[in-house]
Amino acid sequence: MPAPPPSPPPQPPPPTLVQPAPRGPAPRRRLWWHQLIFGLWYRPVEVLDQARDRSAWSAAVLLSLISGGIGVLSVDAFHTQWAVDHAAALKLLGLGEAGVLAASLALGSVAHAIARTLGGIGRFAPTASLFIVLFWVTDLPRMAIAAWLPTDATIVQAATWTTWGFGYVLAVLLIRGQHHLSTWKSAAAVSVQMLTALALLRLGPVH
């Protein structure tokens, strides 16, 4: 019995005027400030990776103002001034807020500058703004406790060292991700700022 004839090869589809667009990378989802702030506590590695190369100035300014307000309101000099002259006390609050904003920008700028000096390739805005965010996010629990208890209280000291260590680790992860540096270089890039903040802000007198 003779073999069946071979089937003809499949014909290509007819050409069309409209070609499908090539698939590119999926667009990045927007990272809202509350997702950034709260996410740093329970999924910091994922949040820092999601925030890579993004600026977070709105969250940085918000946290700086909140932290500056808590710091000023915790000082006895403010309450004394408020009892005498409300307007002068509000001016003192405004000066404190402006000082915290300037100091926060300086901390972020120094972290970026040192990282670039060590060979980092990150951009200024993401590095500085995210550094400010994580710095104040990790310090807010300590400030809230120290606003009601003496600075030398055991719980305040425990909160100081715990939040400072957590903030230091997050700062290292941030610089390593933004500037593509080694862990040791990233730690060196944030050591000056974190040690200065520990001495002046976190271990200094609150009341």
Side-chain angles (χ1 to χ4, degrees), residues 136-174:
W136 290 120
V137 162
T138 55
D139 194 41
L140 277 176
R142 193 273 313 172
M143 296 186 67
I145 296 174
W148 300 97
L149 297 175
T151 309
D152 56 354
T154 302
I155 187 174
V156 176
Q157 292 296 314
T160 297
W161 288 103
T162 302
T163 56
W164 180 83
F166 183 58
Y168 194 98
V169 172
L170 290 186
V172 172
L173 293 176
L174 169 68

Side-chain angles (χ1 to χ4, degrees), residues 3 33 37 64 83 104 113 164 173 186:
W33 63 266
I37 292 174
S64 297
S104 301
W164 180 83
L173 293 176
S186 301

